[in-house]
């Protein structure tokens, strides 16, 4: 929420508007006084990395009454406020819309009571409302993701990763209860990300006899020497008769039927706290800017809108249509129309549910079709977190479709050397949360191995190729396509899944691994800035990876609150560098104590990281000192963050449809 607050304040000031904080939500609006304060650019410095909200939030009974809204209108008129940006859930946004529809009547009433002049009522005759949804449950229809959801999922996955080590050591079953009283998004996505054995969500209750099915699956997993079982339960989970399914019920069932050592962990409000993820900071910042633009462009005829995320774009949707759709979901669940509830939740929710079912439940042998279709999977390029999740997804989807799946070690070079073998369903168990590339990966391109690769395709009767990797994978497939004129073996379906921290693959908004690298950069920047706390004024020059793509530096700068970001796509010269130094020098003469400058590693061959460091050091003498950090390969390592895992787990395309060798 703080990132959204910061964006609204700074965008508002940028367009020369007066911006006010209303502390403690609607309660502050009703109480007035010091709860409504004009703010400056510096008022929102250093809040990006702070969880919660610096302006507070509170439920307000008075605002639900006509008298409370009348007092709130009076307090706003006193300060000339006629544009409201509301960050909250469907209740807060519904209240804002009611306030807007009553506005004219409230002003007339204030005139009649003699509290305001008729001229003021005429001047401030219309109230504009734009909403942003802040909710960890992701329970608002019309947006793919709400502010706070990604950070909550990070907290859950951190706990799951910690629990898995003790569960493996003691061969235990863990039942994790997560938030989501009316929406199962947190439970569903965390189950998908950690490869949970079973998940319970209110939108899609288990079928009759779920007790037997779940216990059978847990027993089968133990029989395959899997040392732990993870069951994730949404706090609002129900069965098909709308009866609650609690974590205690599940624990007792597993202990009674299977005798497994079973523990319950209820995560509670730990999911609401902590430092926001890079995704949430960027999402909230973009939404905040769009919110101000929407208010500036609003007219008396413009309906109240909510800023939402659709794909990778911030869009404006009619507020009450989204609220009504959100309420329809609960109505569908109450009436046991669960398929409608899933559909109303949106495309993202439905896809996640289908993907989880596909990857977590192995079909019986007799139910799997026989396709006689062989698919090879390999990683190419630098390692990226999430590659293993993508391989797991590809292998299990392929097996479900009846294909024979082959794993190739060490990219195209390993392919040429015959490092290829069949991989089964259980062969990719536990791969989801592991970083790097378990198959091995190299940057080698295939052109010099045409003959050997063609021979391996022929020997193993490979009918399709799935390449997971970065720009080298992209170039590698282009080389194979060019080789089709000479080698018939290359005339097969080939698909690439972008996986690179640089996020530089054409045709894709987002690559597997980019989110994890971005979170690493953001966390490191937070720590670096904190290291200067209590010392004299200091500016940090930080070099990021990315090759000739400035994605990491640009988005890292946005998420970490950098003063400048130098990237390859945006040329700069010494004059711009000098202007930035002078601006930062003036800024550091105020109450600001820390500065942050990010540079993409190949942004400019003339102005290296060392050059920029020297420039800032010399020009800032007497005002601030300077430090330099090159983040290096730590951006490629570590376990995948949640968004990276989910991207890797999304079902790969079906390679067999209608293709034959030419």
């Amino acid at each position: 929420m703080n990132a959204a607050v910061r964006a609204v304040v700074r965008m508002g000031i940028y367009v020369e508007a007066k911006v006010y904080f209303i502390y403690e939500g609607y309660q502050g609006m009703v109480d007035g006084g010091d709860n409504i304060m004009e703010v400056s650019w510096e008022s929102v410095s250093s809040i990006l990395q702070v969880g919660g909200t610096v302006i507070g939030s509170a439920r307000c009974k008075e605002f639900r009454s006509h008298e409370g809204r009348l007092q709130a209108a009076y307090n706003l008129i006193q300060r000339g406020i006629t544009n409201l940006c509301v960050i909250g859930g469907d209740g807060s946004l519904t209240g804002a819309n009611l306030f807007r529809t009553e506005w004219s009547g409230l002003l007339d009433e204030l005139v009649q009571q003699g509290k305001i002049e008729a001229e003021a009522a005429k001047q401030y005759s219309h109230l504009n409302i734009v909403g942003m949804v802040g909710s960890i449950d992701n329970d608002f229809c019309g947006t793919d993701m709400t502010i706070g959801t990604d950070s909550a999922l990070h907290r859950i996955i951190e706990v799951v990763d910690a629990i898995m080590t003790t569960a493996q050591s003691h061969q235990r079953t863990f039942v994790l209860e997560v938030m989501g009283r009316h929406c199962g998004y947190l439970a569903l996505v965390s189950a998908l990300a950690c490869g949970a054995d079973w998940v319970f969500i209110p939108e899609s209750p288990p079928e009759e006899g779920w007790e037997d099915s779940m216990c059978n699956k847990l027993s089968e997993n133990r029989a395959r020497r899997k040392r732990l079982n993870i069951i994730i339960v949404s706090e609002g989970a129900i069965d098909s008769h709308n009866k609650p399914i609690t974590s205690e019920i599940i624990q007792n069932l597993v202990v009674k039927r299977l005798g497994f050592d079973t523990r319950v962990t209820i995560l509670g409000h730990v999911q609401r706290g902590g430092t926001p993820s890079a995704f949430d900071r960027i999402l909230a910042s973009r939404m905040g800017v769009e919110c101000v633009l929407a208010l500036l462009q609003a007219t008396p005829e413009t309906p109240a809108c909510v800023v939402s995320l659709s794909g990778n774009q911030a869009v404006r949707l009619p507020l009450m249509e989204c609220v009504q759709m959100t309420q329809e979901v609960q109505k569908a669940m109450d009436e046991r129309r669960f398929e409608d509830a899933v559909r109303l939740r949106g495309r993202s929710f439905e896809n996640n549910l289908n993907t989880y079912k596909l990857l977590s439940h192995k079909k019986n042998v007799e139910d799997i079709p026989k396709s006689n279709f062989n698919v090879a999977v390999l990683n190419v390029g630098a390692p990226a977190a999430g590659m293993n999740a993508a391989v797991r997804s590809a292998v299990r989807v392929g097996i479900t479709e009846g294909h024979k799946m082959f794993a190739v070690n060490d990219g195209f070079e390993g392919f040429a050397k015959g490092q290829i073998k069949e991989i089964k369903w259980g062969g990719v168990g536990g791969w989801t949360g592991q970083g790097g590339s378990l198959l091995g990966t190299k940057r080698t391109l295939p052109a010099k191995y045409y003959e050997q690769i063609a021979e391996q395709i022929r020997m193993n009767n490979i009918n399709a190729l799935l390449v997971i990797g970065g720009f080298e994978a992209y170039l590698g497939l282009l080389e194979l396509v060019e080789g089709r004129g000479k080698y018939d073996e290359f005339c097969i379906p080939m698909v690439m899944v972008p996986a690179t921290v640089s996020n530089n693959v054409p045709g894709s908004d987002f690559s597997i691994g980019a989110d994890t690298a971005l979170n690493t950069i953001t966390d490191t920047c937070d720590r670096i800035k904190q290291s200067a706390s209590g010392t004299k004024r200091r500016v940090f020059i930080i070099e990021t990876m990315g090759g000739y793509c400035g994605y990491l530096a640009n988005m890292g700068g946005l998420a970490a609150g950098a003063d400048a970001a130098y990237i390859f796509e945006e040329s700069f010269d010494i004059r711009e560098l000098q202007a930035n130094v002078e601006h930062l020098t003036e800024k550091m003469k105020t109450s600001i104590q820390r500065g942050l400058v990010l540079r993409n590693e190949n942004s400019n061959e003339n102005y290296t990281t060392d050059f920029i460091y020297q420039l800032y050091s010399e020009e800032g003498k007497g005002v601030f000192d300077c430090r330099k950090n090159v983040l290096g390969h730590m951006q490629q390592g570590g376990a995948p963050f949640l968004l990276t895992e989910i991207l890797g787990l999304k079902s790969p395309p079906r390679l067999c449809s209608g293709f034959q060798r030419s």
Side-chain angles (χ1 to χ4, degrees), residues 117 280 298 535 601:
E117 299 293 331
D280 266 332
T535 67
E601 58 185 345

Side-chain angles (χ1 to χ4, degrees), residues 245-262:
I245 299 177
T246 65
S247 49
E248 289 78 12
I249 289 174
I250 297 167
Q251 180 190 28
N252 294 334
L253 175 68
V254 174
V255 171
K256 183 178 178 180
R257 293 214 185 173
L258 302 176
F260 291 171
D261 185 3
T262 306

Side-chain angles (χ1 to χ4, degrees), residues 19 82 89 155 209 218 223 259 268 291 299 323 335 374 393 424 428 462 491 564 585 606:
V19 184
T82 55
R155 302 292 93 78
L218 297 180
C291 182
T299 66
V323 169
E335 296 173 356
N374 298 341
S393 177
K424 301 288 188 180
V428 289
I462 300 300
C491 296
T585 302
N606 296 318

Side-chain angles (χ1 to χ4, degrees), residues 297-552:
Q297 295 166 7
T299 66
E301 290 74 35
T302 306
C305 72
V306 60
V307 177
S308 302
L309 181 71
S310 178
N312 196 30
Q313 300 298 318
V315 298
R316 306 171 199 172
L317 298 176
L319 172 59
M320 291 315 296
E321 284 185 19
C322 295
V323 169
Q324 186 177 2
M325 197 183 304
T326 302
Q327 294 168 348
E328 283 292 323
V329 178
Q330 187 59 49
K331 184 179 178 183
M333 289 192 287
D334 292 340
E335 296 173 356
R336 296 163 60 184
R337 295 183 288 110
F338 297 111
E339 288 186 3
D340 290 341
V342 171
R343 179 179 51 79
L344 287 166
R345 279 283 180 229
R347 178 187 57 193
S348 175
F349 188 95
E350 192 170 7
N351 288 344
N352 284 330
L353 179 59
N354 292 335
T355 303
Y356 174 77
K357 289 177 178 178
L358 194 65
L359 299 181
S360 62
H361 301 293
K362 184 181 180 182
K363 288 183 179 180
N364 296 322
V365 176
E366 58 272 15
D367 296 330
I368 298 176
K370 299 296 181 184
S371 71
N372 296 319
F373 200 80
N374 298 341
V375 182
V377 184
L378 66 157
N379 294 335
V380 175
M387 276 184 164
N388 297 320
V391 173
R392 171 182 177 267
S393 177
V395 168
R396 292 195 168 181
V397 170
I399 291 171
T400 301
E401 295 293 324
H403 312 323
K404 189 178 285 188
M405 303 300 295
F406 288 83
V408 179
N409 296 109
D410 295 335
F412 289 118
E413 188 175 325
F415 204 173
K417 294 177 180 178
Q419 297 175 9
I420 178 171
K421 62 180 180 180
E422 186 179 356
I423 189 165
K424 301 288 188 180
W425 183 280
V428 289
W431 282 31
T432 305
Q434 298 195 48
S437 169
L438 294 175
L439 288 183
T441 179
K442 291 190 176 181
R443 298 177 182 269
T444 312
L445 296 177
K448 61 180 179 181
Y449 297 114
Y450 273 164
E451 187 66 46
Q452 297 95 316
I453 292 174
E455 183 180 354
Q456 290 298 326
I457 291 175
R458 189 167 55 249
M459 285 174 55
N460 294 281
N461 193 28
I462 300 300
N463 306 109
L465 198 60
L466 177 63
V467 181
I468 302 166
F471 201 74
E472 293 84 359
Y474 179 80
L475 294 176
L477 282 190
L478 287 177
E479 287 189 0
L480 290 179
V481 170
E482 289 175 2
R484 282 176 170 172
K486 188 175 180 181
Y487 297 93
D488 289 344
E489 288 82 2
F490 298 160
C491 296
I492 57 175
M494 300 182 202
V495 171
M496 178 198 171
V497 175
T500 168
V501 300
S502 301
N503 197 31
N504 61 350
V505 178
S508 175
D509 286 344
F510 216 56
S511 299
I512 293 169
D515 179 67
T516 300
L518 197 53
N519 275 287
T520 300
I521 293 168
T522 305
D523 291 345
T524 305
C525 288
D526 288 347
R527 295 187 183 193
I528 287 173
K529 287 196 294 183
Q530 194 177 43
S531 72
S533 180
T535 67
K536 60 183 179 180
R537 289 174 172 80
R538 183 165 288 169
V539 172
F540 295 93
I541 313 297
I542 297 176
E543 180 181 295
T544 69
M545 295 179 89
Y548 292 98
C549 178
Y551 178 84
L552 291 180

Side-chain angles (χ1 to χ4, degrees), residues 154 158 277 385 515-517 519-520 523 639-646:
H154 278 224
E158 286 169 4
S277 67
D515 179 67
T516 300
N519 275 287
T520 300
D523 291 345
F641 278 78
L642 184 117
L643 187 59
T644 292
E645 289 189 33
I646 298 304

